[in-house]
């Protein structure tokens, strides 16, 4: 169990409703990632028509954009992914309904001390860890036989079915993207996707509420981090910006495009691509007037399999940049506890 980890005395949502000032443990500390800026310039990350990746139409222009996006920003906005505005609105609405339930109802799904799964806040690893101004429901969705259904809300009554349905959609989009990523580097198209299409691959969902915050210039919604995933597929709130990405030492705000999926790479893709693709550091800022909701899905390979740079991307000109690693999630977690950046720890 993490030292000092406990559930919050009051959720961020409740503090927002009660008009509380954020307690001192929520106040941002200047970190190596620079100051808190609530309105930096917009990130000029490309918008990619991923519809063409599902068909045999000419993909060259989009593949070039994909390669350029992933080698510089490590992220892009995916449009034409095949899921309607009303489907995505409904998805966000179901999670909104969950967060709007009385605390007594949500409490049934509270995460347990020392574990991330369930409703609640981030785990606390040390006394001086700065807290995030958000509440979340975190579920391990795949492999199916590892689901802890006690954390899966039964209210709203359609929430479980909607997660299942969205999971299928996310799986198929992610495979198409992994294949396009390989083609964008002129590699055999399954070289990445094969690590994410096996029986014990992992998919986690983080459904996050960022309530309005009275002091957005002092409190982050989510601290700077890179994802440990292969790729992360994020549905943003169409009503308010908040996500920022770090590029070349500067923060940029990710624009909201109503029905785009914002896709960013996680550390495991930076490793598999031998450092060619980037896993961007990102964070979320809060807003005084508006709450924000986001739906993040994280794909990960089977934790029992070793991952490392794919062979075809290692040669004399580009020596192996990363060691192989098993169960990157646990490794990443251990590094975090020691204050070490996991990607640095696997660098050769
Ligand atoms: O809510 C967001 O916009 C980003 C969430 C995120 O970065 C994460 O859950 O890892
Ligand atoms: Fe993230």
């Amino acid at each position: 169990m993490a030292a000092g980890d406990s559930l919050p005395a009051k959720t961020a949502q409740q503090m927002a409703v009660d008009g509380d000032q954020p307690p001192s443990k929520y106040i941002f500390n200047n970190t190596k990632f620079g100051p808190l800026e609530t309105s930096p310039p917009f990130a000029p990350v490309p918008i990619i028509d991923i519809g063409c990746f599902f068909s045999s139409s000419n993909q060259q222009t989009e593949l070039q954009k994909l390669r350029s996006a992933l080698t510089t920003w490590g992220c892009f906005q995916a449009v034409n992914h095949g899921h309607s505005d009303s489907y995505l609105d409904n998805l966000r609405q179901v999670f909104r309904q969950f967060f709007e339930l009385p605390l007594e109802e949500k409490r049934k799904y509270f995460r347990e001390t020392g574990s991330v799964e369930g409703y609640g806040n981030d785990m606390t690893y040390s006394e001086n860890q700065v807290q995030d101004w958000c509440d979340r429901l975190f579920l391990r969705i795949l492999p199916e036989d590892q689901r802890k259904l006690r954390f899966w809300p039964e209210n709203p009554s359609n929430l479980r079915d909607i997660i299942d349905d969205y999971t299928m959609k996310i799986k198929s989009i992610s495979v198409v993207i992994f294949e396009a990523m390989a083609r964008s580097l002129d590699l055999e198209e399954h070289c990445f996707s094969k690590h994410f299409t096996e029986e014990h691959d992992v998919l986690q969902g983080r459904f996050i509420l960022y309530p309005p915050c009275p002091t957005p210039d002092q409190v982050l919604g989510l601290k700077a981090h890179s994802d440990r995933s292969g790729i992360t597929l994020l549905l943003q709130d169409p009503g308010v910006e908040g996500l920022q990405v770090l590029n070349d030492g500067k923060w940029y705000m990710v624009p909201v495009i109503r029905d785009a999926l914002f896709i960013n790479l996680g550390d495991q893709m930076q490793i598999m691509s031998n450092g060619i693709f980037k896993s961007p550091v990102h964070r979320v800022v809060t807003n005084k007037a508006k709450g924000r909701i986001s739906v993040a899905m994280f794909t990960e390979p089977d934790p029992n399999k070793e991952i490392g740079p794919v062979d075809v991307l290692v040669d004399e000109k580009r020596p192996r940049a990363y060691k192989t690693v098993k169960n990157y999630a646990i490794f990443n977690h251990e590094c975090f506890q020691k204050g070490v950046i996991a990607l640095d720890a696997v660098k050769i």
Side-chain angles (χ1 to χ4, degrees):
M1 188 201 298
D5 181 46
S6 61
L7 291 162
K10 214 169 175 183
T11 62
Q13 186 180 15
Q14 196 57 49
M15 289 192 278
V17 169
D18 294 349
D20 294 359
Q21 287 301 308
S24 57
K25 62 181 181 180
Y26 285 81
I27 304 300
F28 174 80
N29 247 339
N30 232 341
T31 65
K32 60 177 176 295
F33 298 120
L36 202 173
E37 297 166 77
T38 50
S39 43
F42 280 114
V45 295
I47 299 170
I48 299 187
D49 173 357
I50 64 165
C52 69
F53 299 152
F54 287 88
S55 70
S56 49
S57 58
N58 187 338
Q59 311 180 348
Q60 276 322 308
T61 312
E62 299 310 297
L63 285 177
Q64 272 167 19
K65 274 161 72 179
L66 184 69
R67 178 184 176 141
S68 147
L70 297 183
T71 52
T72 53
W73 287 87
C75 54
F76 62 97
Q77 304 264 16
V79 294
N80 201 8
H81 44 63
H83 304 299
S84 68
D85 300 5
S86 56
Y87 178 83
L88 299 176
D89 282 345
N90 184 47
L91 180 72
R92 285 181 282 242
Q93 187 54 23
V94 169
F95 290 107
R96 239 181 235 118
Q97 283 168 0
F98 169 72
F99 285 112
E100 280 164 8
L101 291 172
L103 183 60
E104 280 322 303
E105 177 67 21
K106 288 178 291 195
R107 203 192 287 281
K108 293 184 193 160
Y109 310 102
F110 251 159
R111 72 171 180 84
E112 287 153 4
T113 303
S115 147
V116 288
E117 208 165 340
Y119 165 68
N121 58 343
D122 205 3
M123 267 171 71
T124 306
Y125 300 94
S126 69
E127 288 297 302
N128 47 9
Q129 180 177 325
V130 177
Q131 303 289 306
D132 298 324
W133 189 260
C134 69
D135 298 335
R136 63 181 72 134
L137 175 68
F138 195 165
L139 300 176
R140 190 177 181 91
I141 301 170
L142 297 176
E144 218 172 310
D145 61 3
Q146 289 177 21
R147 287 183 181 182
K148 293 185 184 147
L149 286 176
R150 65 179 183 279
F151 294 122
W152 289 54
E154 284 174 310
N155 189 358
S157 58
N158 56 349
L159 185 140
R160 291 180 174 194
D161 288 345
I162 283 186
I163 294 179
D164 268 335
D165 187 70
Y166 190 53
T167 296
M168 306 284 285
K169 293 184 163 61
I170 285 299
K171 276 303 264 188
S172 75
I173 294 174
S174 59
V175 169
V176 163
I177 289 171
F178 282 122
E179 290 174 358
M181 278 161 49
R183 286 199 301 279
S184 82
L185 296 175
D186 294 323
L187 304 178
E188 190 278 310
E189 76 170 357
H190 300 114
C191 73
F192 299 129
S193 65
K194 69 180 180 200
H195 297 283
F196 297 88
T197 45
E198 291 178 355
E199 204 186 331
H200 293 105
D201 297 338
V202 174
L203 188 91
Q204 321 226 44
R206 223 189 231 172
F207 314 110
I208 316 172
L209 176 79
Y210 301 94
C213 174
T215 51
D217 51 342
Q218 290 180 5
V219 172
L220 276 176
L222 191 58
K223 282 186 280 301
H225 65 282
S226 63
D227 290 346
R228 65 184 203 203
S229 57
I231 60 173
T232 303
L233 301 94
L234 178 84
L235 181 63
Q236 296 206 78
D237 190 322
V240 57
E241 284 124 12
L243 178 63
Q244 301 187 342
V245 281
L246 189 67
N247 191 261
D248 237 349
K250 294 198 194 81
W251 285 103
Y252 295 84
M253 187 70 91
V254 174
V256 170
I257 301 177
R258 190 171 166 73
D259 289 303
L261 286 172
F262 178 76
I263 300 194
N264 68 268
L265 298 195
D267 293 357
Q268 302 201 56
M269 267 315 302
Q270 180 162 330
I271 295 171
M272 283 188 204
S273 69
N274 204 20
I276 295 177
F277 291 150
K278 305 285 177 256
S279 165
V281 171
H282 52 284
R283 68 183 183 186
V284 177
V285 293
T286 59
N287 186 290
K288 208 170 189 158
K290 293 182 183 167
R292 175 172 182 268
I293 198 152
S294 65
V295 177
M297 303 287 266
F298 305 86
T299 61
E300 285 181 46
D302 178 346
N304 295 311
K305 300 233 163 100
E306 282 198 322
I307 60 128
V310 299
D311 291 341
V312 282
L313 291 177
V314 179
D315 57 28
E316 274 171 19
K317 275 201 267 159
R318 184 180 295 106
R320 173 180 285 271
Y322 298 101
K323 298 177 213 158
T324 51
V325 54
K326 233 184 188 178
N327 205 343
Y328 187 77
I330 298 284
F331 178 75
N332 183 287
H333 178 88
E334 286 167 1
C335 288
F336 184 81
Q337 283 178 311
K338 291 185 216 147
V340 173
I341 296 189
L343 265 183
D344 290 347
V346 283
K347 240 184 216 148
I348 291 182

